[in-house]
Amino acid sequence: MGLRVGHATRTGDGWLTGTTVVLAPEGGAVAAVDVRGGGPGTKEIDALDPRNLVQKVEAIVLTGGSAYGLDAASGVMAWLEEQRRGVGVDPAHVVPVVPAACVFDLGRGGDFRASPDAATGRDAVEAAAGEAGAAVPEGCVGAGTGAAAGPVKGGIGTANTVLDSGVTVAALVVANAAGSAVEPGTGPRVCGWPRSRRRTRRPRWTPRSPWSPPTRTCRRRRRRSWPARRTTASRAPCGRCIC
């Protein structure tokens, strides 16, 4: 049995948030992490450092509610402990390793204090442990319930492919971007790409364009150094370079 995904969604009465759990097979799974951005919200992420003792994780929690929503991981840990899944610390006890990360969706349902808790996490992991082989729900579910991508609705998205070797490679994303996924000048395009998936034509280069790379020194001023060509204003630009 491979990875399984479960969602817990909370909507209505001021709620617009949820939690998603990726449940590893029994025995755990090797995991790694790359944290980026100026305001990450995480829990147990340091356990994934390869220099540390932990070798495998039992589940990964993705949740709304910002830092408050990280409490959902407690419910997942409690469920795993009941199943006797985790790092054995003695013959009678285990400690489940459950890294978690959150997205900011506070107040989007109306109540700023409405965020996932331990009960939400338990509902999500129980959903993941349910019927095997079911399709993973996408859109405004789980951690993507209150997500937004600029001015449009965000959510959960998944994709997978099977390699020639038989190995399945999959991705699950909570789209909650600060920037827009719509190109304002040309209409509804995802990430600036046309629906036809063809590249838009790059604008023609003009002299003194701020993004243009330096070209070879033109013949009129080949003896002048770069600073001289850039600052000299005694002669009009030739129009063929940035001199």
Side-chain angles (χ1 to χ4, degrees):
M1 183 178 67
L3 299 175
R4 305 174 76 168
V5 178
H7 302 295
T9 303
R10 300 287 184 265
T11 59
D13 296 328
W15 292 80
L16 190 65
T17 189
T19 298
T20 297
V21 172
V22 180
L23 182 63
E26 289 197 30
V30 177
V33 66
D34 180 17
V35 180
R36 302 190 184 191
T42 60
K43 179 181 180 181
E44 286 274 32
I45 290 297
D46 288 341
L48 302 181
D49 191 318
R51 297 170 296 181
N52 292 336
L53 179 64
V54 172
Q55 299 296 318
K56 296 182 179 180
V57 302
E58 296 296 332
I60 293 176
V61 173
L62 305 174
T63 184
S66 190
Y68 297 107
L70 293 174
D71 189 37
S74 300
V76 178
M77 291 181 66
W79 184 88
L80 288 166
E81 182 185 19
E82 294 171 4
Q83 310 300 314
R84 305 288 301 164
R85 296 180 56 176
V87 178
V89 293
D90 60 44
H93 301 92
V94 296
V95 177
V97 180
V98 182
C102 64
V103 298
F104 185 93
D105 60 4
L106 295 175
R108 291 178 182 168
D111 187 350
F112 190 88
R113 295 172 297 177
S115 57
D117 54 13
T120 311
R122 176 178 282 271
D123 290 346
V125 72
E126 288 177 348
E131 182 182 357
V136 177
E138 299 179 275
C140 299
V141 295
T145 303
V152 300
K153 193 71 182 73
I156 289 276
T158 66
N160 66 83
T161 186
V162 180
L163 306 180
D164 294 338
S165 61
V167 174
T168 300
V169 179
L172 186 148
V173 174
V174 183
N176 191 58
S180 175
V182 177
E183 211 291 318
T186 54
R189 300 176 180 179
V190 178
C191 299
W193 289 82
R195 290 179 177 174
S196 63
R197 296 185 179 274
R198 293 180 299 178
R199 288 184 179 272
T200 55
R201 188 171 182 179
R202 188 178 183 182
R204 183 175 296 179
W205 176 81
T206 56
R208 299 181 182 273
S209 177
W211 54 263
S212 300
T215 60
R216 293 179 300 176
T217 305
C218 69
R219 294 180 180 178
R220 290 177 60 185
R221 303 183 183 184
R222 72 171 55 175
R223 294 181 179 275
R224 299 191 177 186
S225 63
W226 166 251
R229 287 189 288 117
R230 191 178 181 95
T231 58
T232 300
S234 59
R235 301 176 64 177
C238 67
R240 291 177 295 180
C241 72
I242 55 176
C243 62

